[in-house]
């Protein structure tokens, strides 16, 4: 069960990024820095980037900072910040699904529903990234797989040609963990693509449902210092 939550986060990131990219005319909602590349590409081609791509990274930054501040505020008052902010992410994903289903796939990148839906998904993934970095520090990022693939290849090479003196058990354990996380992300991408073909924007109901399971598998909150003494 200890790998269940990171695996679910990776699945949701892959799903949201794929479904969002297809629906929102090339907007990266999870791998948000990808929008810097498409922004620069638009400029190089002599055209104006969409509003969503202009504001995606600033929105992401604001939400991460806000998540950190709110998390600290909750902790100082004895609340389970992890569970509360994961619930906030669930609400954002549910809102994006509602917008998609009620208004349909946006006809253009700069329509109000495209911007609203895009920034809601970006905010949800910003929350996920912030919580991942503060509460799951031993797991690789759930939205960017480049580092994970690199580590997998290095560890696979070690298993193939072991290095004397290395901790072989640790390498094999990490290989299994990172392989699970990469497979979860790829599965999210594949399921999003298949469901989008089958049911269109109704596929956006999947991320909030997965977010419910994420909250269910959250570890119990840490006991306050001195409890039970």
């Amino acid at each position: 069960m200890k790998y269940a939550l990171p695996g679910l986060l990776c699945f949701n990131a892959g799903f949201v990024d794929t479904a969002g990219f297809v629906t929102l005319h090339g907007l990266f909602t999870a791998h948000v820095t990808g929008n810097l590349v498409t922004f620069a590409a638009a400029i190089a081609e002599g055209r104006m980037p969409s509003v969503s791509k202009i504001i995606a990274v600033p929105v992401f930054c604001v939400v991460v900072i806000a998540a950190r501040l709110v998390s600290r505020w909750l902790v100082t008052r004895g609340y389970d910040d992890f569970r509360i902010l994961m619930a906030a992410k669930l609400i954002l994903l549910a809102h994006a699904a509602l917008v998609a289903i009620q208004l349909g796939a946006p006809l253009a990148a700069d329509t109000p529903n495209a911007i609203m839906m895009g920034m809601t998904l970006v905010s949800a993934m910003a929350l996920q990234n912030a919580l991942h970095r503060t509460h799951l520090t031993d797991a690789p990022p759930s939205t960017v797989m480049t580092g994970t693939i690199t580590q997998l290849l290095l560890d696979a090479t070690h298993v193939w040609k072991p290095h004397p003196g290395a901790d072989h058990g640790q390498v094999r354990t990490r290989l299994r963990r990172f392989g699970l996380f990469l497979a979860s992300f790829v599965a999210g991408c594949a399921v999003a693509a298949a469901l989008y073909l089958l049911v269109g924007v109704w596929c956006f109901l999947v991320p909030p449902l997965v977010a419910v399971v994420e909250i269910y598998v959250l570890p119990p909150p840490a006991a306050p210092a001195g409890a039970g003494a």
Side-chain angles (χ1 to χ4, degrees):
M1 285 294 288
K2 64 179 179 178
Y3 299 153
L5 180 57
L8 289 167
L9 294 175
C10 290
F11 177 91
N12 240 0
F15 193 106
V16 168
D17 222 17
T18 301
F21 188 88
V22 173
T23 306
L24 300 172
H25 303 273
L27 178 70
F28 288 102
T29 52
H31 180 206
V32 72
T33 52
N35 295 302
L36 297 175
V37 176
T38 56
F39 179 97
I43 297 298
E45 293 170 356
R47 54 187 175 83
M48 187 66 179
S50 67
V51 172
S52 293
K53 291 180 181 178
I54 293 172
I55 66 176
V57 173
V59 168
F60 182 92
C61 295
V62 169
V63 174
V64 169
I65 293 170
R68 187 58 170 162
L69 295 175
V70 171
S71 177
R72 289 178 175 174
W73 184 88
L74 290 169
V75 169
T76 59
R77 284 155 180 79
Y79 295 110
D80 184 354
D81 63 315
F82 199 4
R83 200 169 300 273
I84 291 172
L85 291 178
M86 286 288 283
K89 188 191 82 165
L90 165 60
I91 293 170
L92 289 169
L93 291 173
H95 178 264
L98 181 64
V99 171
I101 291 168
Q102 284 194 329
L103 301 179
L107 298 178
D110 283 338
T111 58
N113 59 320
I115 296 171
M116 179 189 301
M117 185 180 171
M119 293 310 102
T120 302
L121 291 173
V122 166
S123 298
M125 291 296 100
L127 261 180
Q128 174 168 312
N129 273 277
L131 292 170
H132 199 125
R133 294 296 297 169
T134 56
H135 291 78
L136 299 170
T137 54
D138 61 337
S142 59
T143 58
V144 182
M145 290 292 119
T146 305
T148 301
I149 294 174
T150 301
Q151 190 64 58
L152 276 170
L153 293 172
L154 292 173
D155 289 342
T157 303
H158 171 84
V159 171
W160 176 41
K161 296 287 186 180
H163 186 275
D167 188 339
H168 306 307
Q170 182 182 26
V171 170
R172 290 179 181 275
T173 299
R174 185 172 58 222
L175 185 62
R176 288 192 295 269
R177 288 174 59 233
F178 280 40
L180 171 64
F181 300 152
L182 177 61
S184 297
F185 184 89
V186 172
C189 296
V191 173
L195 286 182
Y196 189 85
L197 286 173
L198 291 172
V199 298
V201 294
W202 285 86
C203 71
F204 283 99
L205 287 174
V206 171
L209 293 176
V210 174
V212 171
V213 182
E214 291 170 358
I215 293 172
Y216 177 76
V217 302
L218 280 175

